[in-house]
Amino acid sequence: MESGPEAFAGAAFALFGAGLLLWTGVCVRTGAPVADGVGRAVGAVTALLFAVAFLGAGVWMLASL
């Protein structure tokens, strides 16, 4: 019974992390800015760090079921 919310949270974190990773990759490849008002390198690195963190948290939650 307690694994339902954990599975939902893990899936949400993993999907958000994967989506952010994909979006950041597309922005970097096309040369589009990743965030407004921030340098390209800083925005890309920050987005990649958060994407990896969210993806890792989602995988960790799903693996602990």
Side-chain angles (χ1 to χ4, degrees):
M1 193 69 157
E2 295 175 359
S3 64
E6 186 179 6
F8 177 76
F13 275 114
L15 285 174
F16 179 74
L20 184 59
L21 192 63
L22 179 68
W23 176 74
T24 305
V26 168
C27 285
V28 168
R29 178 174 273 218
T30 60
V34 177
D36 288 333
V38 180
R40 285 188 187 177
V42 174
V45 169
T46 304
L48 286 174
L49 288 175
F50 276 99
V52 169
F54 276 107
L55 191 59
V59 169
W60 175 69
M61 285 181 191
L62 290 173
S64 67
L65 288 177

